Amino acid sequence: MSIADTIRNAFVPVHREGYPFIAGFAAVAVLLGFFSTSLFWIGAILTAWCAYFYRDPERVTPVDDRLVVSPADGVVSAVGPAVPPRELNLGTAEMTRISVFMNVFSVHVNRAPVRGKIVRIEHRPGKFLNAELDKASQENERNGIVIDSPNGQVAAVQIAGLVARRILCWADVGGNIAVGERFGLIRFGSRVDVFLPTNAVARVSVGQTAVAGETILAEFGGASHPPLVRVS
C-alpha cells in the first residue's frame, strides 16, 4: 500500500448532502478570520464538526434474508411491541419495534434494515420532541418506508428530534432496495424505528450501541449460520 493510499484510507468519506453546509461553515470561518484569529479557529472547529457530522463510512453488511440490520448508528432505545404509524397501512395490531436513537455525533446516513421492494413511503409533519421519548414515534415529524421483504412487510421510520429539522429520503416507491443500502439522512440528532412482523426475534437490548448496516437487530427463524457479507 502506498503512502497516498494510507492517507486516503485515514479519511472517512463525506456524504454529498453535507457539502453545502461544510462550505458555508468554512466561508464563515474565513470571514471571521478577518476580524479575529480566535473567531477563525472557532469557525474552523465548527467546520470540522460539520464534516464529521456528514461522514459516510463504508459498512460490512451481513447478506442473509433471516437477519435484520440496524438502519442507523446510535443507541438502542426501545425493544418491544408497538402499533406502527397508521399512515403506513400496516394494520392496528402490534408489531415488534426496535428504536435506535442518534445523537449529534452519530453517523446520520440511514440504511435499509432488509432487502425487498419499497411499497410505500409516507411523510408526516409533526412536533420536534426529544426523539428518545416514546411518544415521539406518534407525535414527531417522520418519514416511513415500507419494504416488502422475504419475511413480510418491514417498516423503517425516520423520526425528527429536538434539534433535527430536516428528514431526507431518496428512495422511490416501486424500487428494490438491498439490505444495508443507503436510503436517507436526518440532520442533527434523531431516531429510526424498525417495525417487524412478530415472528422476528430481537437480538439487541436497550442501551446497546448499534452500527448502521452492520449490527444485527433481529432474526427470522432459528439459529443462524455465519452470514455472507457485503461492503457498501
Side-chain angles (χ1 to χ4, degrees):
M1 182 180 293
S2 67
I3 295 178
D5 289 334
T6 300
I7 295 174
R8 182 169 57 253
N9 291 338
F11 291 92
V12 176
V14 173
H15 197 277
R16 62 181 181 276
E17 291 289 342
Y19 294 164
F21 294 90
I22 297 169
F25 272 82
V28 171
V30 172
L31 181 63
L32 292 175
F34 287 106
F35 301 98
S36 167
T37 302
S38 297
L39 290 176
F40 167 77
W41 284 112
I42 292 174
I45 291 171
L46 291 175
T47 302
W49 172 80
C50 187
Y52 178 76
F53 175 84
Y54 280 102
R55 68 198 186 281
D56 184 17
E58 290 186 340
R59 294 291 162 79
V60 180
T61 301
V63 180
D64 188 328
D65 287 340
R66 295 168 297 180
L67 305 179
V68 180
V69 301
S70 178
D73 281 26
V75 176
V76 177
S77 58
V79 178
V83 177
R86 58 187 176 183
E87 71 268 11
L88 299 182
N89 285 350
L90 293 175
T92 57
E94 291 182 333
M95 300 180 72
T96 298
R97 183 188 66 181
I98 301 176
S99 304
V100 180
F101 175 76
M102 298 175 283
N103 63 35
V104 294
F105 299 104
S106 301
V107 173
H108 277 61
V109 175
N110 301 141
R111 293 172 177 260
V114 294
R115 75 170 179 91
K117 183 178 181 179
I118 300 174
V119 296
R120 183 177 296 275
I121 299 177
E122 293 288 343
H123 179 268
R124 284 292 182 273
K127 300 178 181 179
F128 296 96
L129 304 174
N130 185 341
E132 286 189 288
L133 299 176
D134 188 64
K135 62 182 179 180
S137 291
Q138 297 295 332
E139 298 188 22
N140 278 23
E141 180 166 341
R142 59 187 181 268
N143 182 76
I145 71 169
V146 179
I147 303 171
D148 193 4
S149 81
N151 296 291
Q153 292 194 330
V154 172
V157 183
Q158 301 167 284
I159 302 172
L162 189 65
V163 181
R165 288 296 186 273
R166 184 71 186 276
I167 297 174
L168 302 177
C169 178
W170 47 78
D172 296 311
V173 173
N176 292 316
I177 194 166
V179 59
E181 183 178 340
R182 301 164 178 86
F183 74 86
L185 181 150
I186 317 176
R187 291 181 182 144
F188 308 121
S190 43
R191 179 174 128 195
V192 179
D193 286 350
V194 178
F195 288 89
L196 304 166
T198 54
N199 62 329
V201 179
R203 296 302 188 200
V204 289
S205 301
V206 172
Q208 181 176 335
T209 298
V211 177
E214 293 189 354
T215 300
I216 297 170
L217 295 184
E219 178 184 357
F220 292 96
S224 64
H225 301 287
L228 299 172
V229 299
R230 173 171 54 81
V231 178
S232 61

